[in-house]
Amino acid sequence: MADASSLDALVDALRRLPGVGVKSASRMAFHLLQHDREGAQLLARALQQAAGNVRHCERCNTFTEAPVCNVCLDTRRDAGKLCVVETPADQAALERTGAFRGYYFVLMGKLSPLDGIGPKDIGLQKLFDRALDGTVSEVILATNFTAEGEATAHVIGEALRQRGLNVTRLARGVPAGSELEYVDLGTIAHALVDRR
Amino acid sequence: MADASSLDALVDALRRLPGVGVKSASRMAFHLLQHDREGAQLLARALQQAAGNVRHCERCNTFTEAPVCNVCLDTRRDAGKLCVVETPADQAALERTGAFRGYYFVLMGKLSPLDGIGPKDIGLQKLFDRALDGTVSEVILATNFTAEGEATAHVIGEALRQRGLNVTRLARGVPAGSELEYVDLGTIAHALVDRR
Ligand SMILES: [Zn+2]
Ligand SMILES: [Zn+2]
């Protein structure tokens, strides 16, 4: 729209965001340039900061700006329990229940054979190294109760059981087909107690 | 999510985009940091470039990087006809029909009394100066056929008629309640021929 090449470049760049088509991108660009240039500059700086500073925790793989994240540094937690989740948002949902006081491993994804995402793409070796470091006695699989989340739990569970670990899964109190991030706290807490 | 303050800052900044809530913003931030850091850097640069370089055309008010935009610099157009639109996207829709060869004025908004947006907020004085520069013989009002677009057309039409200009409106071939950007080219072309 209009004849400003930097405006076209902005629309193209906004389209790289998930769920943003050309109409939404144009609307966003118009809004920022017409009504919120301060927001545009702020977003630019936030993107550069985050892209430059955010890395993966050496122990649990979640996003952090330090080598090891605050949860992993918290020594009051039960070192024998390791909970495996797909994303930081899922971990946050579990933390909000207050029902789990062990450590986490954040996959940052899930197995998805149809999309060509296999064990190497989601870095399962890092999980195996963490789970087999000698301190963990139980691995709780808290991947989502979707087809892909279940498949991911199955693959990880089989691999860790073969290596002699005690592996449990959140109880199916969580409604099938749903994503943890959107489930109410009580349901998650109950599923945690009933893990099998 | 996670314990990275620059990640929280990124989520907050993304929420300034229109139509983006906290869930979408978190999903966007996760996608950029996990799968597309190049896209994050690219978007940051595009935002800075656009916020720094894009200004308003001195003649038609649309976005441009030069003092005057390419459409206004095109001397083969009919200087007697001035078409008033709400946004650059609406102007682009009219251009695609090929049915209008005059000049434009882009309001970059519309009157919206309920939102407190009055004549001063959308810079009507700049339009009046342009329409009364002595070259324009007909002003074609091509604001959207929504309640706000109609009110905007009414206010502008009254003001320009009082100043002695010939004012027309796109024919109501355009379905009421719709926005030009989404109307098919044939309908717009027909409405342009039948303007009243
Ligand atoms: Zn960690
Ligand atoms: Zn212009």
Side-chain angles (χ1 to χ4, degrees):
Chain A
M1 61 180 176
D3 75 305
S5 62
S6 61
L7 179 55
D8 294 336
L10 176 56
V11 171
D12 287 346
L14 285 164
R15 291 191 60 188
R16 290 177 84 136
L17 295 171
V20 176
V22 66
K23 293 278 179 197
S24 309
S26 299
R27 208 167 297 124
M28 288 169 174
F30 181 86
H31 175 80
L32 290 174
L33 293 176
Q34 186 67 13
H35 302 294
D36 193 15
R37 294 213 180 199
E38 190 194 321
Q41 297 283 12
L42 193 138
L43 178 54
R45 283 193 300 273
L47 284 160
Q48 280 166 335
Q49 289 276 325
N53 297 344
V54 174
R55 53 172 127 178
H56 293 277
C57 174
E58 286 170 10
R59 285 179 69 73
C60 76
N61 200 43
T62 195
F63 289 136
T64 176
E65 286 169 68
V68 176
C69 77
N70 283 335
V71 171
C72 289
L73 287 174
D74 177 1
T75 53
R76 293 161 304 176
R77 289 174 179 259
D78 179 354
K81 291 190 168 49
L82 184 70
C83 183
V84 178
V85 294
E86 292 179 19
T87 66
D90 294 335
Q91 178 186 1
L94 281 160
E95 281 291 289
R96 282 196 297 273
T97 70
F100 180 71
R101 289 297 298 165
Y103 292 95
Y104 293 90
F105 189 90
V106 186
L107 295 169
M108 292 289 182
K110 52 185 178 283
L111 294 177
S112 183
L114 289 178
D115 301 320
I117 300 170
K120 274 186 185 162
D121 301 296
I122 66 169
L124 287 191
Q125 191 55 51
K126 188 173 176 181
L127 164 61
F128 297 158
D129 292 345
R130 171 70 180 88
L132 295 160
D133 70 355
T135 64
V136 178
S137 58
E138 178 188 359
V139 174
I140 300 156
L141 301 175
T143 55
N144 287 314
F145 282 72
T146 57
E148 290 167 342
E150 294 278 21
T152 304
H154 179 77
V155 169
I156 293 172
E158 288 299 299
L160 290 178
R161 279 190 197 96
Q162 274 177 20
R163 289 164 170 84
L165 276 172
N166 179 22
V167 179
T168 58
R169 177 89 169 107
L170 284 196
R172 197 174 285 281
V174 179
S178 64
E179 301 190 335
L180 282 187
E181 189 179 341
Y182 303 103
V183 174
D184 68 277
L185 306 189
T187 304
I188 296 180
H190 194 81
L192 203 51
V193 170
D194 284 350
R195 67 182 182 270
R196 53 183 168 75
Chain B
M1 60 178 174
D3 76 306
S5 63
S6 61
L7 180 55
D8 294 336
L10 176 56
V11 172
D12 287 345
L14 285 165
R15 290 190 62 189
R16 291 178 82 135
L17 295 171
V20 175
V22 65
K23 294 279 178 196
S24 309
S26 299
R27 208 168 297 124
M28 288 170 176
F30 181 87
H31 175 79
L32 289 173
L33 293 176
Q34 186 67 14
H35 302 295
D36 193 15
R37 294 213 181 200
E38 190 194 321
Q41 298 283 13
L42 193 137
L43 178 54
R45 283 193 300 273
L47 284 160
Q48 280 166 336
Q49 288 276 325
N53 298 344
V54 174
R55 53 172 129 177
H56 293 278
C57 174
E58 288 171 9
R59 285 179 67 73
C60 76
N61 200 42
T62 195
F63 289 136
T64 176
E65 285 170 69
V68 176
C69 79
N70 283 336
V71 171
C72 289
L73 287 175
D74 178 1
T75 53
R76 292 161 305 174
R77 290 175 180 258
D78 179 353
K81 291 191 169 47
L82 184 70
C83 183
V84 178
V85 294
E86 291 179 19
T87 66
D90 295 334
Q91 179 186 0
L94 280 161
E95 282 291 289
R96 282 196 298 273
T97 69
F100 180 71
R101 289 298 297 165
Y103 292 96
Y104 293 90
F105 189 89
V106 186
L107 295 169
M108 292 289 181
K110 53 185 175 284
L111 295 178
S112 183
L114 290 178
D115 301 321
I117 300 171
K120 274 186 185 162
D121 300 297
I122 65 169
L124 287 191
Q125 191 55 53
K126 189 174 176 181
L127 164 60
F128 297 158
D129 292 345
R130 171 70 179 88
L132 295 161
D133 70 355
T135 63
V136 178
S137 57
E138 179 186 359
V139 174
I140 300 156
L141 300 176
T143 55
N144 286 314
F145 282 71
T146 57
E148 290 166 343
E150 294 278 21
T152 304
H154 179 77
V155 169
I156 294 172
E158 289 298 299
L160 291 178
R161 279 191 197 96
Q162 273 178 18
R163 290 164 170 83
L165 275 171
N166 179 22
V167 179
T168 58
R169 177 87 169 108
L170 283 196
R172 197 174 287 280
V174 179
S178 65
E179 302 190 333
L180 281 186
E181 188 178 347
Y182 303 103
V183 174
D184 68 276
L185 306 189
T187 304
I188 296 180
H190 195 80
L192 203 52
V193 170
D194 284 350
R195 66 183 183 268
R196 52 183 168 74

